[in-house]
């Protein structure tokens, strides 16, 4: 049976006060310092206002472990197998497979998104807070947890209300979503954020390699630079939108930065406390005990032998962690009492999506689209629906992405019911791109948008020098032709071009005499195709040679977008001076 998180405290002063006191206590006894990059710790930094305004999160704001790092800073310790771990440093140990997954994810992100500057210690801190490093490293050789790690069902009772989005595929619950795996992704987020970190052809939220890589990409979206404290705050808050969560994760980041070591899988320290006031997860999935009385059902707190009263009955679990539907209670006369109805959410009221004035979407390859997609969520009566998550997905085979490199983005509608997708970044593949908008958690028809990627273009060409291009018959031109391409005054890089030695200004077909280029075999060619300007918009043509034909010839350069430049070439024999006549002696 899946290990379950317990109930979360109702939103209010209790959770905030407990976490604030814990962090304050640590701050008093462990003075805030500066990390290796000279950055102040988050417990003493104030996140930017928009950081805490996230409408959604990777975890659905599910409960998390609140254990603080030890007061004594760790020191780097030997790897597994070199001897016992020194007292006081056990918290610094990270199970071998879990630590390997974090470091591999860091390497992958450094290659895919070098500007993000993702440290593996951030993944380790989130993994510690979300699942106690996959329950102390209880994973198999491939990195998959030996049993599922599931958060509570997000049914609105003390938690967010997120109705089922995956038909139970990830969490085994076809009624409500639950956070899944060592990094605690909710199914609707995993559907677009999931990654295959161990190259087995699957994206499994229960696999630490897949989950760590997905978490890295999630934290690096929106072009955030995690070496900047404000961006780091935004990224962490987007994972779980809680100031206490931010402070706690940053404490673990700083702790792991000061030293950590590898320990055997399955031997990690298990957390004791959670933000829902529950106990830590036991080494093995625990089995709920039978309630002693109908009015006060109890379930054992994972990792604790004493049962903990649950303020509401817990339905029996079915295989996979989903809950079966209990039979409705009856009154003394035997008539079934209808269960209390759950008020409809904003998402429940959405009937359709409408375009919200999206302009024509066109961009050249490699450029950012200047216009963005706007979608409005509406009821059947056409009224706007706020605070609904709209997912934008780029469909089909294309290298066009949203800013940040993702092909999926989820945005909450504003008070006018409008969700504005991130800007599109055109790839190198030209043609039409489809972006589909759908409502997360609601089955309504999607809305498709068309975006067009055109080839890179130039509207002007000019030579970079003005030296005369002359050559003697049968010789070699001393200067090479170099031109610069621009588009609306800006550098036009990567623009396709063709160079042709033409017959005349009125006849642009290739000539068969006069100057020529050489191909790889040294043969004369008078047309060069598949040329491209470089990153500075420059195009330098190969050397030109002349046959025995003299005269003035034309070289024409054409680019995508219609830019054209014609250059004169002269082939003439060298001038010779006539001997001067002098008077003969005695004349």
């Amino acid at each position: 049976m899946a290990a379950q998180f317990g109930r979360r405290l109702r939103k209010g002063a209790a959770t905030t006060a407990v976490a604030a006191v814990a962090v304050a206590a640590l701050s008093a006894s462990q003075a805030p310092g500066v990390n290796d990059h000279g950055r102040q710790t988050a417990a003493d930094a104030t996140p930017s206002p928009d950081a805490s305004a996230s409408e959604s999160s990777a975890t659905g704001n599910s409960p998390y472990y609140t254990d603080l790092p030890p007061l004594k800073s760790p020191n780097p310790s030997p790897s597994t197998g070199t001897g016992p771990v020194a007292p006081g440093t056990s918290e610094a140990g990270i199970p071998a497979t879990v630590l390997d997954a974090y470091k591999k994810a860091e390497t992958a992100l450094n290659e895919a998104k070098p500007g993000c500057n993702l440290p593996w210690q951030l993944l380790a801190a989130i993994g510690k807070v979300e699942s106690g490093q996959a329950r102390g490293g209880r994973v198999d050789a491939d990195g998959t947890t030996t049993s599922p790690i599931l958060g509570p069902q997000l049914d609105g009772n003390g938690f967010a209300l997120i109705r089922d989005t995956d038909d139970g595929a990830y969490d085994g619950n076809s009624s409500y979503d639950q956070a899944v795996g060592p990094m605690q992704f909710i199914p609707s987020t995993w559907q677009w954020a999931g990654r295959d970190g161990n190259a087995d052809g699957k994206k499994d939220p229960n696999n630490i390699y897949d989950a760590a890589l997905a978490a890295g990409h999630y934290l690096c979206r929106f072009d955030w630079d995690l070496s900047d404290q404000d961006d780091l705050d935004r990224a962490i808050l987007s994972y779980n939108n809680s100031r206490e969560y931010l402070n706690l994760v940053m404490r673990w980041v700083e702790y792991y930065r000061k030293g950590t070591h590898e320990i055997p899988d399955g031997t990690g320290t298990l957390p004791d406390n959670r933000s829902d006031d529950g106990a830590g997860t036991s080494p093995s999935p625990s089995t709920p005990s039978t309630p002693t009385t109908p009015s006060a059902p109890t379930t054992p707190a994972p990792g604790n032998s004493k049962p903990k009263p649950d303020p509401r009955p817990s339905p029996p679990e079915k295989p996979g962690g989903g809950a079966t539907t209990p039979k409705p209670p009856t009154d003394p006369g035997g008539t079934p009492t209808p269960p209390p109805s759950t008020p409809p959410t904003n998402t429940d009221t959405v009937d359709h999506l409408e375009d919200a004035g999206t302009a024509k979407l066109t961009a050249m390859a490699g450029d950012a689209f200047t216009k963005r997609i706007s979608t409005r969520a509406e009821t059947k009566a056409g009224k706007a629906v706020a605070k609904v998550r709209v997912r934008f997905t780029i469909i089909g085979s294309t290298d066009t992405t949203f800013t940040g490199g993702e092909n999926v983005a989820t945005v909450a509608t504003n008070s006018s019911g409008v969700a504005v997708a991130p800007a599109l970044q055109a790839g190198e593949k030209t043609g039409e791109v489809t972006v589909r908008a759908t409502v997360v958690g609601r089955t309504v028809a999607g809305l498709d948008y068309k975006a067009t990627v055109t080839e890179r273009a130039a509207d002007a060409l000019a030579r970079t020098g003005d030296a005369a291009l002359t050559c003697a018959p049968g010789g070699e031109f001393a200067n090479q032709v170099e031109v610069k391409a621009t588009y609306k005054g800006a550098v036009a890089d990567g623009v396709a071009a063709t160079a042709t030695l033409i017959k005349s200004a009125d006849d642009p077909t290739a000539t068969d005499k006069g100057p020529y280029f050489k191909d790889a075999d040294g043969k004369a060619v008078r047309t060069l195709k598949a040329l491209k300007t470089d990153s500075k918009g420059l195009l330098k043509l190969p050397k030109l040679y002349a046959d025995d034909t003299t005269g003035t010839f034309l070289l024409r350069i054409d680019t995508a977008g219609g830019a054209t430049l014609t250059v004169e070439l002269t082939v003439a024999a060298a001038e010779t001076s006539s001997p001067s006549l002098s008077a003969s002696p005695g004349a």
Side-chain angles (χ1 to χ4, degrees):
M1 184 172 294
Q4 297 275 347
F5 286 106
R7 282 179 54 81
R8 188 176 190 173
L9 289 174
R10 293 293 192 269
K11 293 180 180 179
T15 302
T16 304
V18 171
V21 169
V23 172
L26 182 60
S27 300
S29 59
Q30 188 176 5
V34 177
N35 64 19
D36 296 338
H37 299 285
R39 183 173 65 241
Q40 196 175 24
T41 60
D44 310 294
T46 302
S48 55
D50 60 337
S52 57
S54 172
E55 295 282 355
S56 58
S57 70
T59 68
N61 296 326
S62 293
Y64 54 90
Y65 290 113
T66 59
D67 293 36
L68 293 165
L71 297 179
K72 184 177 179 181
S73 298
N75 294 313
S77 302
S79 299
T80 305
T82 59
V85 177
T89 63
S90 60
E91 282 290 355
I94 299 177
T97 300
V98 177
L99 180 59
D100 184 57
Y102 296 149
K103 292 185 175 181
K104 278 184 166 58
E106 179 194 54
T107 299
L109 265 297
N110 284 342
E111 294 176 358
K113 298 180 179 180
C116 179
N117 297 303
L118 172 81
W120 66 260
Q121 290 90 346
L122 175 59
L123 297 177
I126 291 175
K128 178 70 174 181
V129 169
E130 292 294 346
S131 69
Q133 310 297 17
R135 290 202 302 265
R138 282 155 180 80
V139 295
D140 62 20
D142 296 323
T144 302
T145 57
T146 54
S147 59
I149 303 175
L150 297 174
Q153 66 176 17
L154 300 174
D155 55 8
N157 292 311
F159 311 100
L161 174 56
I162 303 179
R163 299 190 189 281
D164 176 61
T165 61
D166 65 331
D167 198 26
Y170 295 116
D171 55 15
N173 189 337
S174 58
S175 297
Y176 301 95
D177 274 353
Q178 296 176 247
V180 182
M183 303 303 278
Q184 287 290 279
F185 278 97
I186 53 174
S188 59
T189 301
W190 183 261
Q191 285 173 5
W192 64 264
R195 293 293 191 279
D196 179 11
N198 61 350
D200 64 353
K202 297 183 295 183
K203 298 176 183 178
D204 182 2
N206 297 296
N207 182 278
I208 186 59
Y209 287 100
D210 294 359
L213 184 59
H217 277 279
Y218 184 90
L219 294 164
C220 286
R221 71 200 193 286
F222 303 138
D223 285 338
W224 282 329
D225 177 1
L226 302 188
S227 65
D228 176 81
Q229 186 65 55
D230 287 340
D231 278 359
L232 182 59
D233 291 349
R234 293 184 183 97
I236 295 172
L237 285 168
S238 77
Y239 210 90
N240 193 312
N241 190 17
S242 159
R243 190 64 59 90
E244 289 75 31
Y245 182 87
L246 166 64
N247 292 338
L248 181 62
V249 167
M250 279 307 304
R251 288 295 183 188
W252 280 107
V253 169
E254 300 303 331
Y255 182 77
Y256 286 136
R257 283 187 187 278
K258 294 173 183 175
T260 187
H261 58 278
E262 175 186 303
I263 61 174
D265 289 345
T267 64
T269 303
L270 301 176
D272 294 318
N273 305 289
R274 286 199 309 272
S275 61
D276 63 342
D277 202 29
T281 304
S282 62
S284 301
S286 54
T287 304
S289 57
T290 303
T292 55
T293 64
S295 60
T298 59
T299 55
N304 190 334
S305 59
K306 296 181 179 180
K308 179 182 176 72
D310 193 329
R312 61 188 171 97
S314 297
E317 293 184 9
K318 61 184 179 182
T324 58
T325 303
K327 294 182 179 179
T330 58
D331 63 18
T335 304
T337 303
S341 59
T342 302
T345 65
N346 287 19
T347 301
D348 294 333
T349 66
V350 177
D351 176 75
H352 60 274
L353 293 175
E354 288 285 343
D355 176 49
T358 302
K360 185 177 181 180
L361 300 166
T362 304
M364 285 197 302
D367 289 351
F369 283 75
T370 57
K371 307 297 182 182
R372 296 165 70 179
I373 295 171
S374 296
T375 299
R376 176 181 160 100
E378 297 183 353
T379 64
K380 190 172 184 178
K383 293 182 63 176
V385 185
K387 296 184 179 179
V388 170
R389 291 185 297 162
V390 176
R391 178 179 297 132
F392 298 94
T393 306
I394 299 173
I395 306 296
S397 177
T398 178
D399 54 356
T400 291
T401 64
F402 291 111
T403 302
E406 303 292 347
N407 61 7
V408 178
T410 301
V411 182
T413 57
N414 59 21
S415 58
S416 300
V418 175
V420 180
L424 286 165
Q425 176 67 42
E428 294 303 321
K429 291 183 179 179
T430 59
E432 197 171 74
V433 177
T434 300
V435 180
R436 180 167 298 160
T438 56
V439 179
V440 177
R442 177 79 168 158
T443 304
V444 297
L447 188 59
D448 285 356
Y449 293 85
K450 302 297 182 182
T452 303
V453 179
T454 61
E455 63 180 336
R456 295 172 183 254
D459 58 12
L461 280 174
R463 283 189 65 194
T464 58
D466 56 5
L469 298 168
T470 61
C471 179
E476 175 183 314
F477 284 81
N479 298 307
Q480 290 177 248
V481 177
E482 184 180 66
V483 298
K484 183 173 183 177
T486 56
Y487 183 79
K488 295 183 179 180
V491 167
D493 62 317
V495 177
T498 301
T500 307
L501 290 150
I502 61 177
K503 290 182 178 179
S504 69
D506 298 325
D507 185 357
T509 57
T511 184
D512 58 358
K513 59 184 177 180
Y516 60 90
F517 300 104
K518 288 183 179 180
D519 64 13
D521 298 325
K523 295 180 180 179
V525 293
R526 291 185 169 87
T527 299
L528 296 178
K529 298 181 179 180
L531 303 173
K532 276 193 176 182
T533 60
D534 65 13
S535 61
K536 298 180 180 179
L538 299 176
L539 174 62
K540 191 171 187 177
L541 299 180
K543 285 185 178 181
L544 279 162
Y545 303 86
D547 60 14
D548 293 333
T549 309
T550 59
T552 300
F553 302 88
L554 299 179
L555 170 65
R556 176 170 167 155
I557 305 170
D558 299 283
T559 70
T564 299
L565 178 68
T566 302
V567 180
E568 282 193 357
L569 305 173
T570 302
V571 179
E575 294 184 3
T576 57
S577 57
S578 301
S580 60
L581 298 175
S582 58
S584 58

